[in-house]
Amino acid sequence: MKIKIAPSILASDFAKFGETVQLLEKNGADYIHCDVMDGNFVPPITFGAQAVKALRPHTKLPLDCHLMVTKPAVRIQEFAEAGADIITVHVEADRENVLENLEKIKSYGVKASAVINPATRAEELFPACEIADMVLIMSVVPGWGGQKFIPETLQKIQAVRNFCTKIGRDIDIEVDGGVTEENVKDVISAGANVIVAGSTVFRSPNMAETIRRLRG
Ligand code: DX5
Ligand code: ZN
């Protein structure tokens, strides 16, 4: 499967998002990962659909919007209209309506994705695997960049990839949190193909080279 690198602008200068996405595009990124935090599902507040809309004209790359919000259902429309290409909703935010939320995202012509936290079992993502375009497995507790990769995530990636293969669905599996040039090979061999990286990309002295190396 093609490996895609999705740098998270959470680790970048919030006063320069426009320039940053252009730089990422120039340096070989595949997606722009947008970490939306509402101060409720996770303690910090980052930015919302208005910032995504403002970013839209600055890049042709797909905007991969990771919604760390308590009521994803009421937010989907505004992110779709802002120009999101992928919208990811947390299973923990609305366990009852994961499939409905995915269908809602698709109804706007946007790629639909569901995500689980490190504390959530891989099996909770299985129903979403049946209909989602992508699934995301958190490898750190959501809310902050720069944390250490939780090694148990590798088994979860494998379990989700095996399940997808079993049901004949060749979907994207994204991993988010603590990915480095050192551990990315394990993440890819476990079955992930969309790699989020915040600090690894933005702390790098050579962004293009780091993005290239993250391809495993
Ligand atoms: C955490 C975010 C991640 C984070 C990754 O809540 O979802 O996308 O920015 O940052 P690093 O790569 O620094 O762990
Ligand atoms: Zn994220």
Side-chain angles (χ1 to χ4, degrees):
M1 269 186 116
K2 189 180 181 294
I3 306 298
K4 295 170 199 144
I5 309 301
S8 167
I9 55 171
L10 179 66
S12 75
D13 182 344
F14 273 41
K16 294 185 180 161
F17 282 162
E19 289 162 52
T20 300
V21 294
Q22 287 166 9
L23 187 69
L24 290 169
E25 186 169 339
K26 205 176 84 195
N27 284 299
D30 298 289
Y31 292 165
I32 304 295
H33 186 80
C34 302
D35 281 311
V36 174
M37 303 188 191
D38 69 349
N40 201 352
F41 183 75
V42 288
I45 298 177
T46 53
F47 53 83
Q50 289 191 42
V52 170
K53 189 176 178 186
L55 210 53
R56 185 64 287 181
H58 293 275
T59 179
K60 291 188 293 294
L61 293 181
L63 299 176
D64 170 26
C65 296
H66 174 194
L67 304 192
M68 285 163 272
V69 305
T70 39
K71 292 201 175 82
V74 303
R75 298 287 167 198
I76 290 166
Q77 184 175 1
E78 62 190 270
F79 281 92
E81 288 172 356
D85 297 277
I86 305 167
I87 296 178
T88 300
V89 292
H90 268 270
V91 167
E92 301 83 3
D94 191 4
R95 282 195 157 84
E96 310 291 293
N97 298 298
V98 177
L99 299 181
E100 288 79 355
N101 287 339
L102 291 171
E103 293 295 0
K104 190 167 188 179
I105 296 168
K106 287 188 183 184
S107 76
Y108 293 100
V110 174
K111 286 193 173 155
S113 158
V115 48
I116 50 167
N117 280 339
T120 305
R121 292 177 316 126
E123 290 72 18
E124 286 212 48
L125 207 46
F126 289 177
C129 293
E130 308 263 2
I131 65 162
D133 298 292
M134 181 173 89
V135 289
L136 166 57
I137 298 163
M138 290 304 301
S139 38
V140 298
V141 174
W144 301 271
Q147 303 177 71
K148 210 170 149 327
F149 183 87
I150 299 172
E152 288 75 23
T153 311
L154 295 174
Q155 288 99 282
K156 286 168 86 174
I157 301 170
Q158 237 158 19
V160 172
R161 179 56 81 195
N162 289 343
F163 179 77
C164 289
T165 306
K166 199 175 88 188
I167 62 169
R169 297 213 72 231
D170 196 15
I171 60 174
D172 287 327
I173 298 184
E174 184 175 51
V175 172
D176 185 5
V179 178
T180 63
E181 290 179 29
E182 288 72 43
N183 63 22
V184 73
K185 281 194 174 57
D186 296 336
V187 169
I188 293 171
S189 0
N193 71 304
V194 183
I195 310 296
V196 177
S199 2
T200 295
V201 167
F202 286 99
R203 282 186 199 152
S204 164
N206 185 340
M207 196 182 267
E209 178 64 11
T210 296
I211 290 175
R212 197 186 60 75
R213 289 207 189 136
L214 282 171
R215 295 183 191 283

